[in-house]
Every structure is written in structure tokens, then in C-alpha cells.
mmCIF file of all heavy atoms in Angstrom:
data_model
loop_
_atom_site.group_PDB
_atom_site.id
_atom_site.type_symbol
_atom_site.label_atom_id
_atom_site.label_comp_id
_atom_site.label_asym_id
_atom_site.label_seq_id
_atom_site.Cartn_x
_atom_site.Cartn_y
_atom_site.Cartn_z
ATOM 1 N N LEU A 1 -110.068 -70.076 -18.495
ATOM 2 C CA LEU A 1 -110.279 -70.732 -19.783
ATOM 3 C C LEU A 1 -111.719 -70.570 -20.317
ATOM 4 O O LEU A 1 -111.905 -70.478 -21.515
ATOM 5 C CB LEU A 1 -109.889 -72.210 -19.656
ATOM 6 C CG LEU A 1 -108.405 -72.552 -19.591
ATOM 7 C CD1 LEU A 1 -108.181 -74.034 -19.360
ATOM 8 C CD2 LEU A 1 -107.700 -72.066 -20.838
ATOM 9 N N ILE A 2 -112.625 -70.531 -19.407
ATOM 10 C CA ILE A 2 -114.031 -70.303 -19.872
ATOM 11 C C ILE A 2 -114.106 -68.919 -20.596
ATOM 12 O O ILE A 2 -114.766 -68.816 -21.657
ATOM 13 C CB ILE A 2 -114.994 -70.350 -18.687
ATOM 14 C CG1 ILE A 2 -115.095 -71.775 -18.142
ATOM 15 C CG2 ILE A 2 -116.393 -69.884 -19.059
ATOM 16 C CD1 ILE A 2 -115.860 -71.903 -16.884
ATOM 17 N N GLN A 3 -113.474 -67.896 -19.996
ATOM 18 C CA GLN A 3 -113.523 -66.580 -20.640
ATOM 19 C C GLN A 3 -112.739 -66.608 -21.942
ATOM 20 O O GLN A 3 -113.156 -65.944 -22.914
ATOM 21 C CB GLN A 3 -112.912 -65.553 -19.679
ATOM 22 C CG GLN A 3 -112.979 -64.066 -20.247
ATOM 23 C CD GLN A 3 -114.384 -63.481 -20.209
ATOM 24 O OE1 GLN A 3 -115.301 -64.060 -20.672
ATOM 25 N NE2 GLN A 3 -114.499 -62.320 -19.555
ATOM 26 N N VAL A 4 -111.611 -67.351 -21.935
ATOM 27 C CA VAL A 4 -110.884 -67.436 -23.177
ATOM 28 C C VAL A 4 -111.714 -68.128 -24.327
ATOM 29 O O VAL A 4 -111.691 -67.668 -25.433
ATOM 30 C CB VAL A 4 -109.556 -68.259 -22.994
ATOM 31 C CG1 VAL A 4 -108.887 -68.638 -24.306
ATOM 32 C CG2 VAL A 4 -108.652 -67.496 -22.104
ATOM 33 N N LEU A 5 -112.458 -69.096 -23.932
ATOM 34 C CA LEU A 5 -113.332 -69.797 -24.841
ATOM 35 C C LEU A 5 -114.419 -68.811 -25.367
ATOM 36 O O LEU A 5 -114.701 -68.823 -26.585
ATOM 37 C CB LEU A 5 -113.996 -71.005 -24.242
ATOM 38 C CG LEU A 5 -114.947 -71.829 -25.110
ATOM 39 C CD1 LEU A 5 -114.254 -72.397 -26.345
ATOM 40 C CD2 LEU A 5 -115.618 -72.916 -24.289
ATOM 41 N N ILE A 6 -115.011 -68.019 -24.502
ATOM 42 C CA ILE A 6 -116.005 -67.079 -24.899
ATOM 43 C C ILE A 6 -115.411 -66.047 -25.922
ATOM 44 O O ILE A 6 -115.976 -65.774 -26.931
ATOM 45 C CB ILE A 6 -116.634 -66.327 -23.734
ATOM 46 C CG1 ILE A 6 -117.377 -67.264 -22.817
ATOM 47 C CG2 ILE A 6 -117.493 -65.169 -24.164
ATOM 48 C CD1 ILE A 6 -117.861 -66.692 -21.510
ATOM 49 N N CYS A 7 -114.142 -65.556 -25.628
ATOM 50 C CA CYS A 7 -113.516 -64.610 -26.518
ATOM 51 C C CYS A 7 -113.165 -65.201 -27.876
ATOM 52 O O CYS A 7 -113.295 -64.562 -28.890
ATOM 53 C CB CYS A 7 -112.239 -64.094 -25.832
ATOM 54 S SG CYS A 7 -112.576 -63.022 -24.412
ATOM 55 N N VAL A 8 -112.726 -66.483 -27.860
ATOM 56 C CA VAL A 8 -112.400 -67.155 -29.128
ATOM 57 C C VAL A 8 -113.702 -67.245 -29.984
ATOM 58 O O VAL A 8 -113.645 -67.010 -31.220
ATOM 59 C CB VAL A 8 -111.788 -68.570 -28.838
ATOM 60 C CG1 VAL A 8 -111.678 -69.332 -30.177
ATOM 61 C CG2 VAL A 8 -110.421 -68.402 -28.274
ATOM 62 N N LEU A 9 -114.803 -67.678 -29.403
ATOM 63 C CA LEU A 9 -116.043 -67.747 -30.150
ATOM 64 C C LEU A 9 -116.432 -66.358 -30.673
ATOM 65 O O LEU A 9 -116.876 -66.268 -31.834
ATOM 66 C CB LEU A 9 -117.135 -68.323 -29.285
ATOM 67 C CG LEU A 9 -116.982 -69.835 -28.956
ATOM 68 C CD1 LEU A 9 -118.064 -70.205 -27.913
ATOM 69 C CD2 LEU A 9 -117.102 -70.702 -30.170
ATOM 70 N N TRP A 10 -116.241 -65.383 -29.865
ATOM 71 C CA TRP A 10 -116.602 -63.986 -30.222
ATOM 72 C C TRP A 10 -115.783 -63.542 -31.428
ATOM 73 O O TRP A 10 -116.319 -63.028 -32.474
ATOM 74 C CB TRP A 10 -116.411 -63.063 -29.029
ATOM 75 C CG TRP A 10 -116.801 -61.650 -29.287
ATOM 76 C CD1 TRP A 10 -117.540 -61.146 -30.273
ATOM 77 C CD2 TRP A 10 -116.413 -60.521 -28.446
ATOM 78 N NE1 TRP A 10 -117.645 -59.746 -30.153
ATOM 79 C CE2 TRP A 10 -116.976 -59.342 -29.020
ATOM 80 C CE3 TRP A 10 -115.645 -60.396 -27.273
ATOM 81 C CZ2 TRP A 10 -116.778 -58.079 -28.474
ATOM 82 C CZ3 TRP A 10 -115.470 -59.137 -26.714
ATOM 83 C CH2 TRP A 10 -116.046 -58.011 -27.319
ATOM 84 N N LEU A 11 -114.444 -63.777 -31.372
ATOM 85 C CA LEU A 11 -113.601 -63.348 -32.443
ATOM 86 C C LEU A 11 -113.835 -64.143 -33.709
ATOM 87 O O LEU A 11 -113.561 -63.691 -34.835
ATOM 88 C CB LEU A 11 -112.087 -63.476 -32.003
ATOM 89 C CG LEU A 11 -111.673 -62.538 -30.858
ATOM 90 C CD1 LEU A 11 -110.187 -62.807 -30.497
ATOM 91 C CD2 LEU A 11 -111.866 -61.091 -31.272
ATOM 92 N N THR A 12 -114.252 -65.394 -33.533
ATOM 93 C CA THR A 12 -114.456 -66.270 -34.712
ATOM 94 C C THR A 12 -115.746 -65.913 -35.429
ATOM 95 O O THR A 12 -115.844 -65.830 -36.694
ATOM 96 C CB THR A 12 -114.523 -67.734 -34.295
ATOM 97 O OG1 THR A 12 -113.329 -68.047 -33.591
ATOM 98 C CG2 THR A 12 -114.723 -68.640 -35.498
ATOM 99 N N ILE A 13 -116.821 -65.691 -34.696
ATOM 100 C CA ILE A 13 -118.136 -65.433 -35.259
ATOM 101 C C ILE A 13 -118.278 -64.019 -35.786
ATOM 102 O O ILE A 13 -118.615 -63.774 -36.970
ATOM 103 C CB ILE A 13 -119.269 -65.797 -34.261
ATOM 104 C CG1 ILE A 13 -119.190 -67.257 -33.915
ATOM 105 C CG2 ILE A 13 -120.624 -65.463 -34.807
ATOM 106 C CD1 ILE A 13 -120.106 -67.673 -32.786
ATOM 107 N N SER A 14 -118.111 -63.022 -34.898
ATOM 108 C CA SER A 14 -118.259 -61.623 -35.282
ATOM 109 C C SER A 14 -117.381 -60.768 -34.374
ATOM 110 O O SER A 14 -117.752 -60.230 -33.317
ATOM 111 C CB SER A 14 -119.714 -61.177 -35.083
ATOM 112 O OG SER A 14 -119.917 -59.874 -35.470
ATOM 113 N N PRO A 15 -116.121 -60.584 -34.830
ATOM 114 C CA PRO A 15 -115.154 -59.898 -33.972
ATOM 115 C C PRO A 15 -115.396 -58.395 -34.004
ATOM 116 O O PRO A 15 -116.024 -57.879 -34.903
ATOM 117 C CB PRO A 15 -113.817 -60.263 -34.635
ATOM 118 C CG PRO A 15 -114.114 -60.429 -36.067
ATOM 119 C CD PRO A 15 -115.456 -61.063 -36.045
ATOM 120 N N PRO A 16 -114.852 -57.626 -33.031
ATOM 121 C CA PRO A 16 -114.910 -56.222 -33.053
ATOM 122 C C PRO A 16 -114.069 -55.669 -34.268
ATOM 123 O O PRO A 16 -113.095 -56.303 -34.710
ATOM 124 C CB PRO A 16 -114.264 -55.792 -31.719
ATOM 125 C CG PRO A 16 -114.299 -56.992 -30.868
ATOM 126 C CD PRO A 16 -114.215 -58.178 -31.790
ATOM 127 N N PHE A 17 -114.460 -54.507 -34.734
ATOM 128 C CA PHE A 17 -113.789 -53.894 -35.900
ATOM 129 C C PHE A 17 -113.882 -52.382 -35.806
ATOM 130 O O PHE A 17 -114.784 -51.848 -35.129
ATOM 131 C CB PHE A 17 -114.483 -54.395 -37.212
ATOM 132 C CG PHE A 17 -115.940 -54.082 -37.310
ATOM 133 C CD1 PHE A 17 -116.409 -52.884 -37.885
ATOM 134 C CD2 PHE A 17 -116.870 -54.974 -36.767
ATOM 135 C CE1 PHE A 17 -117.735 -52.584 -37.975
ATOM 136 C CE2 PHE A 17 -118.243 -54.699 -36.891
ATOM 137 C CZ PHE A 17 -118.649 -53.490 -37.459
ATOM 138 N N PRO A 18 -112.971 -51.663 -36.487
ATOM 139 C CA PRO A 18 -113.001 -50.210 -36.480
ATOM 140 C C PRO A 18 -114.268 -49.729 -37.152
ATOM 141 O O PRO A 18 -114.680 -50.264 -38.225
ATOM 142 C CB PRO A 18 -111.755 -49.748 -37.237
ATOM 143 C CG PRO A 18 -110.850 -51.013 -37.299
ATOM 144 C CD PRO A 18 -111.801 -52.141 -37.268
ATOM 145 N N TYR A 19 -114.902 -48.712 -36.651
ATOM 146 C CA TYR A 19 -116.145 -48.213 -37.173
ATOM 147 C C TYR A 19 -116.169 -46.683 -37.133
ATOM 148 O O TYR A 19 -115.829 -46.058 -36.139
ATOM 149 C CB TYR A 19 -117.282 -48.806 -36.329
ATOM 150 C CG TYR A 19 -118.658 -48.206 -36.666
ATOM 151 C CD1 TYR A 19 -119.295 -48.401 -37.872
ATOM 152 C CD2 TYR A 19 -119.325 -47.420 -35.714
ATOM 153 C CE1 TYR A 19 -120.522 -47.857 -38.124
ATOM 154 C CE2 TYR A 19 -120.563 -46.869 -35.972
ATOM 155 C CZ TYR A 19 -121.172 -47.086 -37.185
ATOM 156 O OH TYR A 19 -122.395 -46.585 -37.476
ATOM 157 N N LYS A 20 -116.596 -46.090 -38.264
ATOM 158 C CA LYS A 20 -116.729 -44.636 -38.348
ATOM 159 C C LYS A 20 -118.188 -44.266 -37.950
ATOM 160 O O LYS A 20 -119.086 -44.369 -38.795
ATOM 161 C CB LYS A 20 -116.397 -44.126 -39.736
ATOM 162 C CG LYS A 20 -114.956 -44.327 -40.147
ATOM 163 C CD LYS A 20 -114.705 -43.842 -41.554
ATOM 164 C CE LYS A 20 -113.249 -44.063 -41.957
ATOM 165 N NZ LYS A 20 -112.974 -43.545 -43.359
ATOM 166 N N ASN A 21 -118.334 -43.844 -36.801
ATOM 167 C CA ASN A 21 -119.667 -43.464 -36.307
ATOM 168 C C ASN A 21 -120.041 -42.018 -36.719
ATOM 169 O O ASN A 21 -119.401 -41.077 -36.262
ATOM 170 C CB ASN A 21 -119.706 -43.585 -34.749
ATOM 171 C CG ASN A 21 -121.091 -43.430 -34.180
ATOM 172 O OD1 ASN A 21 -121.999 -42.862 -34.890
ATOM 173 N ND2 ASN A 21 -121.316 -43.846 -32.966
ATOM 174 N N MET A 22 -120.980 -41.899 -37.605
ATOM 175 C CA MET A 22 -121.392 -40.542 -38.080
ATOM 176 C C MET A 22 -122.757 -40.154 -37.642
ATOM 177 O O MET A 22 -123.376 -39.174 -38.083
ATOM 178 C CB MET A 22 -121.379 -40.534 -39.636
ATOM 179 C CG MET A 22 -120.034 -40.956 -40.238
ATOM 180 S SD MET A 22 -120.103 -40.986 -42.069
ATOM 181 C CE MET A 22 -118.580 -41.909 -42.438
ATOM 182 N N LYS A 23 -123.354 -41.010 -36.761
ATOM 183 C CA LYS A 23 -124.702 -40.717 -36.263
ATOM 184 C C LYS A 23 -124.761 -39.772 -35.098
ATOM 185 O O LYS A 23 -125.699 -38.988 -34.988
ATOM 186 C CB LYS A 23 -125.388 -42.026 -35.914
ATOM 187 C CG LYS A 23 -125.528 -42.987 -37.116
ATOM 188 C CD LYS A 23 -126.183 -44.337 -36.709
ATOM 189 C CE LYS A 23 -126.288 -45.248 -37.866
ATOM 190 N NZ LYS A 23 -126.884 -46.557 -37.470
ATOM 191 N N TYR A 24 -123.798 -39.898 -34.192
ATOM 192 C CA TYR A 24 -123.854 -39.093 -32.943
ATOM 193 C C TYR A 24 -123.617 -37.643 -33.240
ATOM 194 O O TYR A 24 -124.290 -36.753 -32.774
ATOM 195 C CB TYR A 24 -122.871 -39.671 -31.947
ATOM 196 C CG TYR A 24 -123.253 -39.228 -30.541
ATOM 197 C CD1 TYR A 24 -124.058 -40.024 -29.760
ATOM 198 C CD2 TYR A 24 -122.783 -38.045 -30.045
ATOM 199 C CE1 TYR A 24 -124.425 -39.661 -28.463
ATOM 200 C CE2 TYR A 24 -123.152 -37.693 -28.709
ATOM 201 C CZ TYR A 24 -123.935 -38.470 -27.949
ATOM 202 O OH TYR A 24 -124.333 -38.081 -26.672
ATOM 203 N N TYR A 25 -122.514 -37.370 -33.964
ATOM 204 C CA TYR A 25 -122.185 -35.987 -34.330
ATOM 205 C C TYR A 25 -122.312 -35.892 -35.871
ATOM 206 O O TYR A 25 -121.808 -36.716 -36.619
ATOM 207 C CB TYR A 25 -120.748 -35.595 -33.916
ATOM 208 C CG TYR A 25 -120.514 -35.505 -32.482
ATOM 209 C CD1 TYR A 25 -119.760 -36.477 -31.792
ATOM 210 C CD2 TYR A 25 -121.096 -34.496 -31.748
ATOM 211 C CE1 TYR A 25 -119.569 -36.379 -30.449
ATOM 212 C CE2 TYR A 25 -120.875 -34.405 -30.367
ATOM 213 C CZ TYR A 25 -120.098 -35.332 -29.701
ATOM 214 O OH TYR A 25 -119.877 -35.227 -28.344
ATOM 215 N N LYS A 26 -122.980 -34.858 -36.330
ATOM 216 C CA LYS A 26 -123.094 -34.656 -37.776
ATOM 217 C C LYS A 26 -121.831 -34.003 -38.376
ATOM 218 O O LYS A 26 -121.550 -34.282 -39.531
ATOM 219 C CB LYS A 26 -124.329 -33.711 -38.078
ATOM 220 C CG LYS A 26 -125.616 -34.367 -37.707
ATOM 221 C CD LYS A 26 -126.748 -33.371 -38.091
ATOM 222 C CE LYS A 26 -128.118 -34.022 -37.740
ATOM 223 N NZ LYS A 26 -129.262 -33.091 -38.049
ATOM 224 N N GLU A 27 -121.142 -33.241 -37.566
ATOM 225 C CA GLU A 27 -119.997 -32.525 -38.128
ATOM 226 C C GLU A 27 -118.645 -33.242 -37.981
ATOM 227 O O GLU A 27 -117.631 -32.735 -38.479
ATOM 228 C CB GLU A 27 -119.928 -31.124 -37.478
ATOM 229 C CG GLU A 27 -119.459 -31.125 -36.016
ATOM 230 C CD GLU A 27 -120.573 -31.410 -35.044
ATOM 231 O OE1 GLU A 27 -121.666 -31.828 -35.501
ATOM 232 O OE2 GLU A 27 -120.332 -31.341 -33.830
ATOM 233 N N LYS A 28 -118.662 -34.350 -37.282
ATOM 234 C CA LYS A 28 -117.399 -35.068 -37.150
ATOM 235 C C LYS A 28 -117.633 -36.577 -37.077
ATOM 236 O O LYS A 28 -118.752 -37.024 -36.836
ATOM 237 C CB LYS A 28 -116.585 -34.624 -35.885
ATOM 238 C CG LYS A 28 -117.350 -34.686 -34.619
ATOM 239 C CD LYS A 28 -116.483 -34.088 -33.463
ATOM 240 C CE LYS A 28 -117.318 -34.052 -32.178
ATOM 241 N NZ LYS A 28 -116.525 -33.445 -31.090
ATOM 242 N N ILE A 29 -116.555 -37.293 -37.319
ATOM 243 C CA ILE A 29 -116.626 -38.769 -37.349
ATOM 244 C C ILE A 29 -116.010 -39.297 -36.062
ATOM 245 O O ILE A 29 -114.928 -38.948 -35.705
ATOM 246 C CB ILE A 29 -115.888 -39.366 -38.565
ATOM 247 C CG1 ILE A 29 -116.515 -38.867 -39.909
ATOM 248 C CG2 ILE A 29 -115.846 -40.851 -38.576
ATOM 249 C CD1 ILE A 29 -115.743 -39.189 -41.140
ATOM 250 N N ILE A 30 -116.765 -40.081 -35.371
ATOM 251 C CA ILE A 30 -116.217 -40.784 -34.170
ATOM 252 C C ILE A 30 -115.600 -42.103 -34.612
ATOM 253 O O ILE A 30 -116.322 -43.013 -35.052
ATOM 254 C CB ILE A 30 -117.301 -41.048 -33.137
ATOM 255 C CG1 ILE A 30 -118.044 -39.701 -32.754
ATOM 256 C CG2 ILE A 30 -116.676 -41.638 -31.851
ATOM 257 C CD1 ILE A 30 -117.142 -38.664 -32.236
ATOM 258 N N LEU A 31 -114.321 -42.235 -34.532
ATOM 259 C CA LEU A 31 -113.634 -43.459 -34.873
ATOM 260 C C LEU A 31 -113.580 -44.337 -33.667
ATOM 261 O O LEU A 31 -112.902 -43.997 -32.655
ATOM 262 C CB LEU A 31 -112.221 -43.144 -35.375
ATOM 263 C CG LEU A 31 -111.552 -44.221 -36.191
ATOM 264 C CD1 LEU A 31 -112.350 -44.610 -37.441
ATOM 265 C CD2 LEU A 31 -110.135 -43.802 -36.645
ATOM 266 N N GLU A 32 -114.341 -45.350 -33.654
ATOM 267 C CA GLU A 32 -114.464 -46.272 -32.491
ATOM 268 C C GLU A 32 -114.417 -47.708 -32.891
ATOM 269 O O GLU A 32 -114.408 -48.038 -34.075
ATOM 270 C CB GLU A 32 -115.819 -45.930 -31.745
ATOM 271 C CG GLU A 32 -117.032 -46.134 -32.610
ATOM 272 C CD GLU A 32 -118.304 -45.667 -31.899
ATOM 273 O OE1 GLU A 32 -118.234 -44.916 -30.926
ATOM 274 O OE2 GLU A 32 -119.402 -46.085 -32.345
ATOM 275 N N CYS A 33 -114.450 -48.552 -31.884
ATOM 276 C CA CYS A 33 -114.474 -49.987 -32.136
ATOM 277 C C CYS A 33 -115.918 -50.487 -31.968
ATOM 278 O O CYS A 33 -116.500 -50.361 -30.920
ATOM 279 C CB CYS A 33 -113.540 -50.716 -31.186
ATOM 280 S SG CYS A 33 -111.781 -50.508 -31.545
ATOM 281 N N ASN A 34 -116.425 -51.066 -33.019
ATOM 282 C CA ASN A 34 -117.729 -51.693 -32.954
ATOM 283 C C ASN A 34 -117.524 -53.063 -32.329
ATOM 284 O O ASN A 34 -116.643 -53.785 -32.756
ATOM 285 C CB ASN A 34 -118.373 -51.793 -34.367
ATOM 286 C CG ASN A 34 -119.772 -52.217 -34.295
ATOM 287 O OD1 ASN A 34 -120.092 -53.364 -33.929
ATOM 288 N ND2 ASN A 34 -120.682 -51.361 -34.765
ATOM 289 N N VAL A 35 -118.387 -53.419 -31.429
ATOM 290 C CA VAL A 35 -118.178 -54.708 -30.701
ATOM 291 C C VAL A 35 -118.443 -55.893 -31.590
ATOM 292 O O VAL A 35 -118.138 -57.039 -31.217
ATOM 293 C CB VAL A 35 -119.043 -54.788 -29.433
ATOM 294 C CG1 VAL A 35 -118.685 -53.693 -28.459
ATOM 295 C CG2 VAL A 35 -120.540 -54.682 -29.803
ATOM 296 N N GLY A 36 -118.984 -55.722 -32.800
ATOM 297 C CA GLY A 36 -119.266 -56.813 -33.656
ATOM 298 C C GLY A 36 -120.501 -57.549 -33.179
ATOM 299 O O GLY A 36 -121.656 -57.068 -33.352
ATOM 300 N N SER A 37 -120.278 -58.608 -32.470
ATOM 301 C CA SER A 37 -121.383 -59.345 -31.892
ATOM 302 C C SER A 37 -121.706 -58.760 -30.491
ATOM 303 O O SER A 37 -120.866 -58.834 -29.562
ATOM 304 C CB SER A 37 -121.045 -60.859 -31.745
ATOM 305 O OG SER A 37 -122.021 -61.509 -31.012
ATOM 306 N N ALA A 38 -122.900 -58.224 -30.330
ATOM 307 C CA ALA A 38 -123.311 -57.697 -29.017
ATOM 308 C C ALA A 38 -123.416 -58.783 -28.026
ATOM 309 O O ALA A 38 -123.117 -58.586 -26.815
ATOM 310 C CB ALA A 38 -124.611 -56.935 -29.170
ATOM 311 N N ILE A 39 -123.851 -59.970 -28.480
ATOM 312 C CA ILE A 39 -123.974 -61.140 -27.589
ATOM 313 C C ILE A 39 -122.594 -61.471 -26.966
ATOM 314 O O ILE A 39 -122.439 -61.742 -25.811
ATOM 315 C CB ILE A 39 -124.572 -62.324 -28.273
ATOM 316 C CG1 ILE A 39 -126.020 -62.003 -28.733
ATOM 317 C CG2 ILE A 39 -124.601 -63.573 -27.431
ATOM 318 C CD1 ILE A 39 -126.664 -63.022 -29.576
ATOM 319 N N GLY A 40 -121.573 -61.469 -27.852
ATOM 320 C CA GLY A 40 -120.251 -61.820 -27.395
ATOM 321 C C GLY A 40 -119.706 -60.749 -26.386
ATOM 322 O O GLY A 40 -119.128 -61.143 -25.376
ATOM 323 N N PHE A 41 -119.944 -59.478 -26.682
ATOM 324 C CA PHE A 41 -119.515 -58.474 -25.786
ATOM 325 C C PHE A 41 -120.191 -58.572 -24.381
ATOM 326 O O PHE A 41 -119.533 -58.549 -23.348
ATOM 327 C CB PHE A 41 -119.847 -57.092 -26.404
ATOM 328 C CG PHE A 41 -119.506 -55.893 -25.521
ATOM 329 C CD1 PHE A 41 -118.230 -55.561 -25.286
ATOM 330 C CD2 PHE A 41 -120.513 -55.175 -24.960
ATOM 331 C CE1 PHE A 41 -117.891 -54.452 -24.480
ATOM 332 C CE2 PHE A 41 -120.256 -54.037 -24.160
ATOM 333 C CZ PHE A 41 -118.947 -53.719 -23.900
ATOM 334 N N TRP A 42 -121.488 -58.682 -24.377
ATOM 335 C CA TRP A 42 -122.228 -58.795 -23.097
ATOM 336 C C TRP A 42 -121.927 -60.152 -22.397
ATOM 337 O O TRP A 42 -122.058 -60.207 -21.153
ATOM 338 C CB TRP A 42 -123.698 -58.522 -23.299
ATOM 339 C CG TRP A 42 -123.983 -57.128 -23.643
ATOM 340 C CD1 TRP A 42 -124.389 -56.623 -24.882
ATOM 341 C CD2 TRP A 42 -123.847 -55.964 -22.841
ATOM 342 N NE1 TRP A 42 -124.518 -55.259 -24.819
ATOM 343 C CE2 TRP A 42 -124.165 -54.771 -23.590
ATOM 344 C CE3 TRP A 42 -123.425 -55.787 -21.505
ATOM 345 C CZ2 TRP A 42 -124.089 -53.540 -23.103
ATOM 346 C CZ3 TRP A 42 -123.370 -54.472 -20.983
ATOM 347 C CH2 TRP A 42 -123.705 -53.418 -21.777
#
């Protein structure tokens, strides 16, 4: 339940979302999930 509570707070404040990463490769788009809140992820 403690982990559930952490996940609920994470999803409420700044949830993960789809992100088009264009920084790593110039010629292609990396479609990835941005963690949203780094604090929530860690």
C-alpha cells in the first residue's frame, strides 16, 4: 500500500506521458515514455 500511495501521488502530480525524443538521434524520433516527475520515478 505504501508503494500504491507513492504511485497515486506520482500519477496525480506529474504522471508519465508519451514523449518524442529528438535530442539523442538527429535523424529519427525516439518515441518513449517520459517519467514526468523524476522524484516520483526514483
Side-chain angles (χ1 to χ4, degrees):
L1 284 177
I2 292 174
Q3 184 73 309
V4 171
L5 179 62
I6 294 173
C7 290
V8 169
L9 290 174
W10 182 16
L11 296 178
T12 303
I13 297 172
S14 180
F17 59 89
Y19 171 67
K20 295 178 179 180
N21 189 342
M22 305 177 194
K23 298 179 180 178
Y24 200 91
Y25 292 110
K26 293 181 179 179
E27 72 278 8
K28 57 185 176 182
I29 299 174
I30 306 299
L31 199 58
E32 59 186 17
C33 286
N34 189 295
V35 295
S37 172
I39 296 174
F41 175 71
W42 291 109

